[in-house]
Amino acid sequence: MSKSGVTVTPECIEKFNELKLGKSIKYIIYKLSDDYKEIVVEEASTDPEWENFQSKIMNAKASYKGKEGKGPRYAIYDFQYELDGGEGTRNKIVFISWSPDEGTLVFPRMTYASSKEALKNALNGLGAEVQANNEDEIEYSTILKDISKGKR
């Protein structure tokens, strides 16, 4: 359980293990349930196109007390990249916490922030973590540059 009282559903861990062990899933998007009591799987996809994943994250919505704004999300993405100097291909499972600076309602943003550790602690085998708050930080090249150099 997180500081906010939010729990992680078993499906979150099951889908992560499918991605990690089966390599058939490319990414998983997690969200808070409508009552803000559980972290649930919003989508698990085999789609290899970063732009489709990025669009889903950036266009997510959250509502609270009849108001709607941009929605924070957690995601797992299985990055595959080439090492410099032709040293081969690597995979890294990356935890992404997306919480846009503008247009996000306060309650969802704060609940996501205080619940992140509960999900991270439930997912064993993460290779890197990325906190993204604007569009530049959720660009494939930005994340890849950081994780391939071991910065994140």
Side-chain angles (χ1 to χ4, degrees), residues 86-135:
E87 294 182 30
T89 303
R90 294 289 187 267
N91 282 74
K92 194 171 276 196
I93 297 173
V94 180
F95 180 90
I96 300 170
S97 179
W98 167 249
S99 187
D101 281 334
E102 296 180 15
T104 306
L105 300 173
V106 173
F107 182 80
R109 186 177 173 105
M110 298 308 291
T111 307
Y112 271 85
S114 62
S115 304
K116 178 173 78 169
E117 290 301 317
L119 181 59
K120 280 179 43 187
N121 291 339
L123 305 177
N124 295 318
L126 297 172
E129 179 184 350
V130 172
Q131 173 68 45
N133 300 98
N134 63 55
E135 292 181 16

Side-chain angles (χ1 to χ4, degrees), residues 9-152:
T9 61
E11 183 189 15
C12 293
I13 299 164
E14 291 164 11
K15 286 296 179 189
F16 175 75
N17 287 333
E18 282 182 46
L19 179 145
K20 183 173 75 170
L21 302 174
K23 295 293 183 183
S24 61
I25 298 173
K26 186 67 175 171
Y27 65 83
I28 306 165
I29 299 173
Y30 300 99
K31 70 174 199 159
L32 290 173
S33 58
D34 292 340
D35 62 4
Y36 290 91
K37 293 185 188 249
E38 295 180 313
I39 299 171
V40 298
V41 173
E42 182 173 44
E43 179 179 353
S45 179
T46 58
D47 183 354
E49 297 300 320
W50 173 262
E51 292 79 16
N52 296 337
F53 164 76
Q54 181 185 34
S55 175
K56 288 176 184 187
I57 291 282
M58 290 174 44
N59 292 311
K61 301 287 182 201
S63 58
Y64 182 67
K65 292 189 175 181
K67 294 182 181 177
E68 185 175 84
K70 291 183 179 179
R73 290 294 187 270
Y74 311 115
I76 299 293
Y77 196 91
D78 186 7
F79 272 86
Q80 183 174 356
Y81 58 95
E82 298 293 322
L83 293 174
D84 293 337
E87 294 182 30
T89 303
R90 294 289 187 267
N91 282 74
K92 194 171 276 196
I93 297 173
V94 180
F95 180 90
I96 300 170
S97 179
W98 167 249
S99 187
D101 281 334
E102 296 180 15
T104 306
L105 300 173
V106 173
F107 182 80
R109 186 177 173 105
M110 298 308 291
T111 307
Y112 271 85
S114 62
S115 304
K116 178 173 78 169
E117 290 301 317
L119 181 59
K120 280 179 43 187
N121 291 339
L123 305 177
N124 295 318
L126 297 172
E129 179 184 350
V130 172
Q131 173 68 45
N133 300 98
N134 63 55
E135 292 181 16
D136 292 343
E137 294 172 337
I138 198 87
E139 289 293 331
Y140 185 86
S141 59
T142 303
I143 294 173
L144 185 60
K145 180 179 170 187
D146 287 349
I147 67 167
S148 64
K149 295 191 182 334
K151 285 178 61 180
R152 292 189 178 190

